[in-house]
Amino acid sequence: MTTQIKSLQEYKDTYKYSVESPKAFWKEQAETFTWKKPFEQVLQWNFDEPNVKWFTGGKLNITENCLDRHIETRGDQVAILWEPNEPDSPAKTFTYKELLAAVSKCANALKANGIQKGDRVVFYMPMVPELAIGVLACARIGAVHSVVFAGFSAQALADRVNDATAKMIICSDFNKRGAKNIPIKTVVDDAIKLGCPSIETVLVHKNTGDSIEWSGVDKWWHEQVDPQSADCPAEEMDSEDMLFILYTSGSTGKPKGVVHTCGGYMVYTCYSFRNVFQYQDGDIYWCTADIGWITGHSYIVYGPLLAGATTVMSEGVPTYPDPGRFWEICEKHKVNQFYTAPTAIRALMAKGDEWPAKYDLSSLKLLGSVGEPINEEAWHWYDKHIGKSKAPIVDTWWQTETGGIMITPLPGITDTKPTYASYPMPGIQAILVDKEGNELTGNDVEGLLCIKFPWPSMIRTTYGDHSRCKNVYFSAFKDLYFTGDGARKDEEGRIRVIGRVDDVINVSGHRMGTAEVENAINEHPNVVESAVVGYPHEIKGQGIYAYVITQDKELGDDFRQEILDVVKREIGPIAKPDKIQFVTGLPKTRSGKIMRRILRKIASKDSSNLGDISTLLNPEVVEAVKDGALV
Ligand code: PRX
């Protein structure tokens, strides 16, 4: 059994085998890793509870597989190539040997500060190497990491820290983003002031050295980590022990902690990395995501390191110092595989073709896209101006919950078609169903995207609330994992993921629950009620459109700003509505439910056919909302 598919026939044969004999297929893949104790059973599962266990009885440590096992063969190869925010500052490299030493030192520092196996550690950091090192250090000692994207507010950070009852926060002093130097330790201070009773230590990495406030729980990273021994034995973990929690938005107000475990996540992220990116020894691979999201976990840190790759990590933003930055980095480091989000492609496309034209992009062998549907125009621009029509585009569909890429072309192996994520990975039994859960067999169909058999990196639970996991993903349809996405299959069976069918919107590739944003808006004392929907946005994919009912009639720009401020305070700048429409009523059903379908149509300037509104409690408000719609 090969770990890297090389031809269309091999893909077809492997896929067939993986569906007919999934246990045998995954057993062979799993056996290519280093286990401290071999697993006894490949898979035990039911989707009712749900209860899914992969490689049971197996003992391992994922960092041994990411680091130690590569030392003999590629100890001096660069593991992480870090490109700083400032283009004039030199890139920093960590060979596999150096990375193992850095991770071990950090792991020893965590232990010295009372962190034990099973404890939760929250990260709130910019894209500095210490973030990857810290995450791996947790995995080294069996602590559970939970990375919170450093754009979230103090309130959002505190909510996540408290849900995870974390013992430690690891942060930086400042976050360099383009020309900005954003204080982030102060956000941690504010979170602690809001109340994070489980936090014993805040470990602070000095990124800029600008002045910050200091309190009793704070300790400097360099003082704690630097003196430690560079040798730290890897904790023996059960295959099903928790590896990390990553919070993501759902259709209710409260973010959910998606739980991934050690063995299955390891096997699937490595397998998918090798196949989707067709990584060859010596290649330079770059994923531009932030480690605050699942893409960064699986395809900056774990997947590439498990596969012994050289993974680029970049601190800056795509438009600093100018919109050629991405392409400059590709040229400078001779990047072979480049993986980014449609929103970045669209934003850079809008800056003009002259930016990529300035750089030699001939090293690029493949391009990747992730996070949201990629529109045709962006797909063609990416293909022509970046890939010079010779680098296949892999439009990868997956989710925080799936842990790894699920539906994707394999570059040079399966064909590509703009806007289509195409075919499922081996082991992934993706199907479309109708509203009743009946499988839509055959091609040229449209329905709800479900997965009908477990895969190793699937969500195990939502932290602290297993029933939520069951309700959200496994209760819609019997014996199916429901993705929350709608999709279509073309005549040849290629899958195109159209978008969410629940109350989740995808803003610049980031998931945002409408209820979360509404809760934030409703915190404003003058707001009576609000409803939030997504609408098509040229750069972001979807923008946030908020309908707000207020107490006072006199509403100026100040009030609009106050609403933006309250959202920024409660969630973070990423959740700020793009449009706010003040309304006197919201269309509701007789049972009091807001008819979002109507609001979505009005927000999308598609109000000619609103469907049947006769069942509404208050059909008259529809006209008023329509009349006041924003242009
Ligand atoms: O709606 C799908 C969309 O992003 C959702 C998952 O969001 P998140 O968990 O934040 O993970 C993003 C990175 C993996 C999905 O339910 N999505 C993701 N990739 C694609 C996509 N929609 C269309 N095409 C994609 N390639």
Side-chain angles (χ1 to χ4, degrees), residues 246-249 258 289 293-296 299 339 342 369-374 394-405 407-408 419-421 449 481 483-486 495-502 504-506 509-512 542:
L246 187 58
Y247 285 87
T248 188
S249 296
V258 172
W293 313 110
I294 190 68
T295 307
Y299 299 112
Y339 191 30
S369 168
V370 59
E372 53 176 314
I374 177 165
V394 291
D395 175 357
T396 63
W397 175 85
W398 58 296
Q399 308 178 298
T400 306
E401 295 85 344
T402 69
I405 296 167
I407 304 178
T408 176
T419 78
Y420 279 76
L449 180 61
Y481 166 85
T483 63
D485 280 326
I495 298 172
R496 171 188 191 165
V497 177
I498 301 164
R500 306 288 309 187
V501 295
D502 53 8
V504 171
I505 43 189
N506 193 324
H510 303 316
R511 259 157 78 166
M512 199 51 62
Q542 279 191 298

Side-chain angles (χ1 to χ4, degrees), residues 26-174:
W26 287 118
K27 178 172 185 284
E28 289 164 33
Q29 292 302 329
E31 280 170 352
T32 64
F33 293 84
T34 302
W35 295 85
K36 285 175 180 285
K37 184 170 167 264
F39 50 89
E40 287 148 18
Q41 279 189 52
V42 177
L43 172 66
Q44 291 169 289
W45 70 288
N46 74 67
F47 277 177
D48 286 334
E49 290 179 50
N51 183 8
V52 176
K53 290 190 163 77
W54 281 91
F55 314 119
T56 53
K59 305 284 178 194
L60 75 151
N61 187 290
I62 196 167
T63 69
E64 263 184 354
N65 285 278
C66 287
L67 302 170
D68 308 58
R69 76 172 166 146
H70 299 315
I71 297 302
E72 206 175 305
T73 50
R74 54 181 87 238
D76 294 321
Q77 181 200 310
V78 174
I80 293 180
L81 194 171
W82 181 71
E83 178 66 31
N85 179 59
E86 302 296 334
D88 303 336
S89 307
K92 206 172 182 177
T93 57
F94 290 81
T95 64
Y96 272 92
K97 265 190 208 151
E98 289 165 344
L99 187 58
L100 175 58
V103 168
S104 302
K105 281 185 167 206
C106 180
N108 283 326
L110 296 180
K111 283 207 275 195
N113 281 282
I115 300 298
Q116 296 175 347
K117 182 174 178 175
D119 287 343
R120 274 81 56 214
V121 175
V122 164
F123 288 81
Y124 191 76
M125 291 178 98
M127 284 289 285
V128 288
E130 286 75 6
L131 172 54
I133 291 165
V135 156
L136 291 164
C138 285
R140 186 82 178 168
I141 62 168
V144 175
H145 55 81
S146 186
V147 184
V148 176
F149 174 65
F152 278 112
S153 68
Q155 183 65 58
L157 173 61
D159 291 346
R160 287 157 178 76
V161 164
N162 292 331
D163 190 80
T165 53
K167 257 189 169 172
M168 180 187 273
I169 299 176
I170 306 186
C171 69
S172 296
D173 51 0
F174 287 83

Side-chain angles (χ1 to χ4, degrees), residues 355-395:
W355 292 105
K358 287 185 192 186
Y359 299 96
D360 175 6
L361 300 178
S362 59
S363 58
L364 290 170
K365 294 196 280 193
L366 82 88
L367 304 174
S369 168
V370 59
E372 53 176 314
I374 177 165
N375 50 309
E376 284 221 47
E377 198 195 350
W379 195 99
H380 286 297
W381 187 84
Y382 200 26
D383 180 46
K384 183 169 166 208
H385 293 278
I386 311 303
K388 317 291 180 196
S389 305
K390 65 170 186 55
I393 296 177
V394 291
D395 175 357

